[in-house]
């Protein structure tokens, strides 16, 4: 089944300089009751974004109109905790195409890649530069190129390369999906079961 | 060069391995529950695919279920819908469901082992990160996302890159009142909530060997809380004795064959680990967390760290956590009044946990300021507890024994900790809002939780043990 294709983006970013953001913050459990993949963006970072009465908290970055863009930049160990893929769905549904951090939790990284949401792992130094850049100028533009595997702060030209599993890269740049790949090897599964 | 336990099991399950691609790994049993499966079933429908091996798929309802009056319809509409959806999907795709009211119903990571489905040498996945629990049997078990749930449903396989291997050894004699939960909270506090990321962790050493299966499951359960892909412990007599005779355990000749294979499952002397860590059991105090991730733990007598002790760039996140918890630098948790005690979750809701708590609370009563919930991990645990009369002991102590489910572990069902309230909890996560919006969680062992329920404040279990008959309480 075809999935979303990702090759290259150039956009402003939304900064969230908090470490260890767990998937319970990205999407709290009480919003996991939907049985489809859509609409989770409304509850992205729900308890940081809204107060108990459902009013927007004005000091949370998603409620600050000066910040926008298709890249979320966050502190280290992003996406730890629960395996809920709803976290990746919520971030993508909200309108992000990529998340940049200095460290990602394993399961989140896999879930993001399976949903056309690119996790870009950068050095602590580069992350600090990204935060400094966007806090100095909220319109600062960042370029991410999956084909050539680099991230660039456009204003200064500072660039860093990032790692991505070659298979996953091929999936994302072509819109392939894991199930199609495994199904193409179905005779090997039958053979394995016969061993 | 010898092989690690992990590699032996992995290699035995590789269907296909191609340079530049993740391995295709065969999955022996796929556990599913109501929260992370509906979109996967939808995906199968869209593709026009069946569940490839429905007999190797086991379903239960646990996250959304009430733990009181379970015979009545689920009150919350969306929860009811999600549970009904699972029933419908399982019927349509031919999957056995241990749903509400079924004698095998319970938390997915409690029922797999107790039914003898989880066995040494196997591969197990579930759309739930605490699937690492099953590794206690010397198996590869890990949590997956919903796209992968669909993948396993469609193919009984999973695309996975082989993780690195870490060995964590714990040797020595535990102090009285210190158990498996304290060991794992201690390890996570030492290496941080990200310290195991990218690794399959094998736990070893004589302290680990000395643990019961329940204790080993508690340890492996929380592997994910240090970011590890999975945790596992080599099978031994304790493992084999636990599996023997269970509902779906092999019988007769098949049993003998299985045991012979299981006895080959250990890391060779010269096996190569990417990382090895060692801890001394004597150093471990009863543990408690003070912050908003499981790595933020201290010995119960210690003080909350000072903000200034962290690197500048970490101080913001640290302050945010302390503010959320309503704590300040250098505060001591010991003696702090609490509001709730939750004994349950896939970390600590097995019969041994309940027995230990019952033995401790017998003849005592909870403090007036505390509400206590004891939630068994499964219907079988609940019934066993009742057969042993534990429910009466709990009742007399003001600890009502509820019905099985995830309960207050995750704030998704009716059992939520109210905003601003403190809960000493035997579960595995203290994230902001985890037990309900703005709830505040102190993670601890069942004994620490029980002792705190009796006194109404965060308590050092060792104080009770030195002055009473419970000197031999150990996990
Ligand atoms: S008890 Fe808690 S951690 Fe365990 S499966 Fe249920 S919700 Fe997840």
């Amino acid at each position: 089944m075809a999935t979303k294709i990702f090759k290259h983006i150039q956009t402003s970013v939304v900064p969230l300089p908090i470490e260890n953001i767990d998937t319970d913050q990205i999407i709290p459990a009480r919003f996991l009751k939907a049985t489809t993949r859509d609409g989770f963006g409304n509850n992205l970072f729900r308890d940081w974004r809204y107060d108990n009465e459902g009013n927007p908290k004005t000091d949370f970055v998603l409620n600050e109109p000066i910040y926008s863009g298709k890249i979320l930049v966050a502190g280290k160990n992003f996406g730890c905790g629960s395996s809920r893929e709803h976290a990746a769905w919520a971030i993508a549904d909200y309108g992000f195409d990529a998340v940049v951090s200095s460290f990602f939790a394993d399961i989140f990284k896999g879930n993001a890649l399976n949903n056309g949401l690119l996790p870009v792992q950068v050095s602590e130094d580069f992350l600090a530069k990204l935060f400094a850049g966007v806090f100095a100028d909220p319109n600062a533009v960042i370029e991410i190129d999956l084909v050539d595997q680099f991230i660039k702060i456009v204003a200064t030209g500072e660039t860093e390369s990032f790692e991505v599993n070659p298979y996953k890269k091929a999936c994302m740049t072509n819109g392939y999906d894991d199930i199609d790949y495994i199904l193409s090897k179905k005779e090997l599964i039958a053979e394995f079961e016969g061993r | 060069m010898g092989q690690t336990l992990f590699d032996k099991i992995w290699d035995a399950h590789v269907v296909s391995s191609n340079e530049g691609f993740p391995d295709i790994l065969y999955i022996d049993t796929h556990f599913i529950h109501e929260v992370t499966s509906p979109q996967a079933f939808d995906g199968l429908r869209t593709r026009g695919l069946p569940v490839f091996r429905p007999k190797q798929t086991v379903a239960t309802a646990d996250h959304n279920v009430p733990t009181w009056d379970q015979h009545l319809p689920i009150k919350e509409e969306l929860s009811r819908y999600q549970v009904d959806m699972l029933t419908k999907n399982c019927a349509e795709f031919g999957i056995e469901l241990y749903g509400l009211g079924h004698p095998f119903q319970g938390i997915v990571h409690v029922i797999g082992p107790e039914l003898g489905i989880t066995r040494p040498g196997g591969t197990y996945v579930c759309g739930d990160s605490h699937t690492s629990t099953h590794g206690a049997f010397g198996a590869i078990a890990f949590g997956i996302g919903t796209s992968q749930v669909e993948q396993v449903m469609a193919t009984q396989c999973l695309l996975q890159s082989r993780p690195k291997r870490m060995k964590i050894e714990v040797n020595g004699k535990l102090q009285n009142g210190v158990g498996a939960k304290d060991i794992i909270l201690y390890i996570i506090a030492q290496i941080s909530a990200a310290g195991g990321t990218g690794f399959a962790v094998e736990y070893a050493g004589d302290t680990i060997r000395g643990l019961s299966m329940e204790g080993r499951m508690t340890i492996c359960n929380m592997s994910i809380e240090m970011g590890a892909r999975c945790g596992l412990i080599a099978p031994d007599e304790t493992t084999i004795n636990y599996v023997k005779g269970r509902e779906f355990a092999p019988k007769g000749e098949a049993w003998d064959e299985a045991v012979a294979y299981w006895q080959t499952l250990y890391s060779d002397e010269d096996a190569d680990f990417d990382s090895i860590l060692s801890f001394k059991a004597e150093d471990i105090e009863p543990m408690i967390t003070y912050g908003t991730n499981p790595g933020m733990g201290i010995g119960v007598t210690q003080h909350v760290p000072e903000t200034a002790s962290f690197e500048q760039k970490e101080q913001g996140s640290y302050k945010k956590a302390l503010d959320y918890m309503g704590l300040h630098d250098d505060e001591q948790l010991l003696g702090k009044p609490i509001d709730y005690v939750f004994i349950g979750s896939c970390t600590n809701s097995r019969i041994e946990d309940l027995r230990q708590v019952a033995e401790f609370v017998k003849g005592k009563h909870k403090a007036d300021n505390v509400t206590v919930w004891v939630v068994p991990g499964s219907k079988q645990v609940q019934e066993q507890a009742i057969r042993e009369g534990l429910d009466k002991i709990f009742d007399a102590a003001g600890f009502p024994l509820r019905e099985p489910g995830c309960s207050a572990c995750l704030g998704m069902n009716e059992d939520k900790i109210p905003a601003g309230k403190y809960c000493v909890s035997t579960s595995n996560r203290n994230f902001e809002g985890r037990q309900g919006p703005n709830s505040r969680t102190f993670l601890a062992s069942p004994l620490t939780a029980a002792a705190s329920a009796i006194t109404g404040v965060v308590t050092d279990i060792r104080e009770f043990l030195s002055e009473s008959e419970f000197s031999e309480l150990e996990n």
Side-chain angles (χ1 to χ4, degrees):
Chain A
M1 227 162 54
T3 56
K4 199 174 130 192
I5 291 182
F6 185 115
K7 287 184 177 163
H8 175 266
I9 52 172
Q10 184 160 337
T11 142
S12 56
V13 307
V14 176
L16 194 52
I18 299 171
E19 299 185 343
N20 296 309
I21 296 177
D22 59 79
T23 54
D24 273 81
Q25 305 322 311
I26 299 172
I27 181 95
R30 61 189 192 282
F31 299 109
L32 304 186
K33 300 187 187 194
T35 51
T36 64
R37 288 178 184 235
D38 312 316
F40 288 103
N42 294 334
N43 294 313
L44 174 66
F45 295 118
R46 175 75 201 201
D47 293 336
W48 288 351
R49 201 166 140 200
Y50 300 102
D51 66 17
N52 290 346
E53 276 79 54
N55 302 311
K57 295 184 185 173
T58 48
D59 58 350
F60 184 62
V61 68
L62 292 189
N63 297 324
E64 290 187 77
I66 53 166
Y67 296 110
S68 66
K70 296 199 153 296
I71 301 173
L72 178 67
V73 183
K76 77 166 179 234
N77 200 23
F78 186 84
C80 56
S82 153
S83 60
R84 59 188 70 163
E85 193 163 316
H86 312 65
W89 298 337
I91 296 171
D93 187 57
Y94 182 87
F96 290 112
D97 288 337
V99 184
V100 179
S101 175
S102 55
F103 197 83
F104 287 94
D106 251 5
I107 304 181
F108 175 81
K109 195 196 272 183
N111 287 341
L113 288 165
N114 281 336
N115 285 280
L117 176 70
L118 183 68
V120 178
Q121 185 162 324
V122 297
S123 65
E124 287 288 347
D125 272 359
F126 198 81
L127 186 69
K129 282 181 194 154
L130 285 172
F131 281 132
V134 62
F135 287 128
D137 172 13
N139 297 318
V141 170
I142 303 300
E143 180 183 356
I144 294 176
D145 192 292
L146 176 55
V147 179
D148 291 326
Q149 294 179 226
F150 69 82
I151 173 168
K152 181 171 170 182
I153 303 172
V154 172
T156 61
E158 282 165 296
T159 302
E160 193 169 271
S161 61
F162 61 85
E163 296 285 316
V164 59
N165 177 297
Y167 164 77
K168 276 291 159 198
K169 175 176 166 181
C171 286
M172 278 187 91
T173 51
N174 294 293
Y176 299 155
D177 125 318
D178 288 351
I179 296 182
D180 297 334
Y181 173 70
I182 305 181
L183 286 176
S184 75
K185 310 264 177 198
K186 212 156 175 185
E187 75 292 352
L188 295 177
I189 304 174
E191 195 184 293
F192 177 90
E193 289 182 323
R195 271 185 223 164
Chain B
M1 176 63 70
Q3 272 196 307
T4 66
L5 168 63
F6 179 85
D7 289 300
K8 287 181 183 176
I9 304 171
W10 183 281
D11 289 347
H13 288 83
V14 171
V15 170
S16 148
S17 182
N18 287 308
E19 186 69 31
F21 289 81
D23 288 349
I24 299 181
L25 194 69
Y26 192 80
I27 302 303
D28 291 324
T29 301
H30 184 196
F31 294 101
I32 64 171
H33 61 82
E34 76 277 17
V35 182
T36 55
S37 65
Q39 294 87 352
F41 281 113
D42 270 351
L44 290 185
R45 277 188 207 98
T46 309
R47 291 172 201 263
L49 291 172
V51 170
F52 182 58
R53 293 288 178 252
K55 296 262 172 310
Q56 287 165 252
T57 313
V58 175
T60 190
D62 52 6
H63 285 64
N64 273 288
V65 303
T67 60
W68 204 252
D69 285 340
Q70 263 184 3
H71 58 286
L72 299 177
I74 300 177
K75 283 189 221 125
E76 222 265 325
E77 194 191 324
L78 290 173
S79 290
R80 192 175 63 240
Y81 183 71
Q82 212 170 42
V83 171
D84 288 349
M85 197 71 155
L86 180 69
T87 310
K88 231 184 84 219
N89 282 328
C90 287
E92 181 182 334
F93 287 89
I95 294 168
E96 175 108 56
L97 168 65
Y98 303 138
L100 271 186
H102 193 287
F104 296 163
Q105 181 265 337
I107 304 174
V108 61
H109 312 308
V110 174
I111 68 169
E114 79 182 2
L115 290 170
I117 298 171
T118 306
R119 304 197 284 259
T123 48
Y124 305 94
V125 294
C126 174
D128 191 286
S129 56
H130 294 99
T131 309
S132 58
T133 312
H134 306 254
F137 289 79
I140 293 180
F142 51 88
I144 56 179
T146 296
S147 295
Q148 294 171 310
V149 170
E150 184 183 341
Q151 209 179 105
V152 179
M153 284 176 174
T155 67
Q156 203 58 35
C157 291
L158 193 68
L159 268 185
Q160 254 327 273
S161 302
R162 191 186 295 244
K164 291 177 287 182
R165 285 67 108 205
M166 179 187 284
K167 177 156 80 169
I168 296 183
E169 289 182 323
V170 186
N171 288 298
K173 188 166 163 26
L174 291 169
Q175 302 177 32
N176 254 344
V178 173
K181 183 64 166 289
D182 302 298
I183 299 176
I184 191 65
L185 284 173
Y186 177 83
I187 294 172
I188 301 168
Q190 297 292 313
I191 75 171
S192 93
T197 305
F199 288 95
V201 176
E202 179 177 345
Y203 301 94
D206 56 40
T207 315
I208 302 288
R209 285 268 143 258
L211 295 173
S212 65
M213 281 319 294
E214 284 86 349
R216 295 178 190 188
M217 285 189 253
T218 300
I219 301 258
C220 288
N221 173 276
M222 289 194 72
S223 304
I224 182 69
E225 306 312 335
M226 52 184 164
R229 199 78 262 266
C230 63
L232 68 172
I233 296 172
D236 57 12
E237 282 304 303
T238 306
T239 322
I240 293 168
N241 290 338
Y242 181 96
V243 178
K244 191 167 188 173
R246 293 192 179 261
E247 187 78 21
F248 297 110
K251 310 265 150 56
E253 235 173 81
W255 170 257
D256 297 336
E257 269 173 40
V259 170
Y261 173 56
W262 298 346
Q263 282 163 344
T264 68
L265 297 174
Y266 50 82
S267 288
D268 298 327
E269 284 288 330
D270 55 345
D272 196 17
F273 288 90
D274 300 281
S275 170
I276 298 180
L277 302 174
S278 277
F279 298 102
K280 285 209 220 62
E282 292 79 5
D283 292 345
I284 307 175
E285 272 198 277
M287 293 290 294
I288 192 153
T289 65
Y290 59 89
T292 55
N293 74 58
M296 300 171 84
I298 48 177
V300 69
T301 59
Q302 293 171 353
H303 293 233
V304 171
E306 308 248 4
T307 308
S309 67
F310 292 88
E311 272 184 58
Q312 184 80 37
K313 65 177 182 346
E314 292 173 355
Q315 292 184 2
S317 301
Y318 183 70
K319 267 207 216 98
K320 184 173 186 299
L322 285 198
D323 282 351
Y324 181 86
M325 291 300 294
L327 299 174
H328 55 79
D329 277 6
D330 201 35
E331 187 167 346
Q332 196 175 22
L333 297 188
L334 208 56
K336 191 170 179 70
I338 56 164
D339 309 290
Y340 283 78
V341 164
F342 170 55
I343 295 168
S345 90
C346 57
T347 315
N348 283 121
S349 64
R350 298 182 176 82
I351 189 67
E352 184 182 86
D353 300 308
L354 268 46
R355 282 183 192 137
Q356 194 186 40
V357 170
E359 187 183 348
F360 174 74
V361 302
K362 197 168 184 173
K364 301 188 179 71
H365 197 274
K366 74 170 184 74
D368 289 342
N369 59 311
V370 182
T371 304
V372 185
W373 293 333
V374 181
V375 183
S378 70
K379 203 76 200 161
Q380 295 206 70
V381 170
Q382 182 193 4
E383 279 169 4
Q384 178 75 25
I386 292 171
R387 270 199 301 280
E388 295 179 15
L390 307 186
D391 56 328
K392 305 232 166 49
I393 299 173
F394 287 137
D395 267 343
F399 285 42
L401 178 66
R402 299 173 72 92
E403 292 171 282
C406 293
S407 185
C409 176
L410 93 164
M412 180 163 194
N413 48 67
E414 292 167 15
D415 305 346
K416 294 189 183 71
I417 306 302
K421 299 292 181 193
Y422 287 104
C423 178
V424 177
S425 177
T426 67
S427 54
N428 43 50
R429 286 187 171 142
N430 50 355
F431 299 147
E432 286 185 31
R434 172 75 182 186
Q435 298 194 285
N438 291 306
S439 59
R440 292 161 164 171
T441 306
F442 295 136
L443 298 177
S445 73
L447 276 181
T448 296
S452 303
I454 300 299
T455 58
V457 297
V458 173
T459 297
D460 184 346
I461 175 73
R462 291 170 299 185
E463 286 169 22
F464 273 93
L465 297 178
S466 53
E467 66 190 47
S468 78
E469 68 272 31
F470 298 101
S471 58
E472 278 309 305
L473 267 185
E474 275 178 33
N475 195 355

